[in-house]
Amino acid sequence: MITKIDHLGIAVKSIDDALPYYEGMLGLKCDGREEIESQQVRTALLAAGDVHLELLEPTSDESPIARFLEQHGPGIHHIAFATDDIHDQLAQAKGHGVRLIHEVPFVGAADKLVAFLHPKSTFGVLTEFCQAKH
Ligand code: ZN
């Protein structure tokens, strides 16, 4: 079951360049920065109440975020829904004929299990499911 919007992913060329806007201008608090090697990205999580913004910076030219920036420029990259059972959520999506980018969840930012649905199946919105590990 989807429980809430967990975060919005935002592609940026440089987290260091973007943080003064989010922290200084908007006054959001950075909850942590990390590098996710499997996805070739660096992330920074900013709390906006219960929802986070996830800034995504590529660490290599082959990173999915590097390709996104090339095609679209910086901006909103994905929406992430929190779910209480990511495996069930993926099975349901598959059952509805939705194309999965990841059949098997992997460990993403903030040590959560995550998996993505293809935007061609989701009316143009790259969609992430995420579940806190217990
Ligand atoms: Zn995300």
Side-chain angles (χ1 to χ4, degrees), residues 5 8-9 12 20 22 26 29 38-43 46 57 71 78 90 95 101 105-106 112 115 120-121 128 131:
I5 291 178
L8 298 175
V12 297
Y22 287 101
L26 295 180
K29 187 178 154 289
S38 69
Q39 300 301 301
Q40 299 174 302
V41 292
R42 269 185 217 103
T43 66
L46 295 140
E57 172 192 311
Q71 288 168 12
H78 66 270
L90 287 171
I101 297 178
F106 60 94
K112 288 179 177 170
K120 285 221 160 82
S121 290
E128 173 185 343
Q131 181 190 354

Side-chain angles (χ1 to χ4, degrees), residues 14-94:
S14 158
I15 286 174
D16 285 338
D17 287 354
L19 273 183
Y21 166 71
Y22 287 101
E23 288 186 307
M25 215 294 279
L26 295 180
L28 304 181
K29 187 178 154 289
C30 184
D31 270 359
R33 298 177 66 162
E34 61 184 299
E35 184 164 339
I36 302 163
E37 269 177 51
S38 69
Q39 300 301 301
Q40 299 174 302
V41 292
R42 269 185 217 103
T43 66
L45 281 175
L46 295 140
D50 203 20
V51 176
H52 283 80
L53 302 181
E54 178 185 65
L55 302 185
L56 300 155
E57 172 192 311
T59 57
S60 93
D61 289 346
E62 278 86 65
S63 163
I65 296 302
R67 288 200 301 273
F68 179 90
L69 287 169
E70 237 167 66
Q71 288 168 12
H72 307 278
I76 292 182
H77 177 259
H78 66 270
I79 183 168
F81 294 108
T83 170
D84 55 5
D85 186 342
I86 194 167
H87 294 96
D88 179 58
Q89 210 73 52
L90 287 171
Q92 278 189 44
K94 201 174 177 181

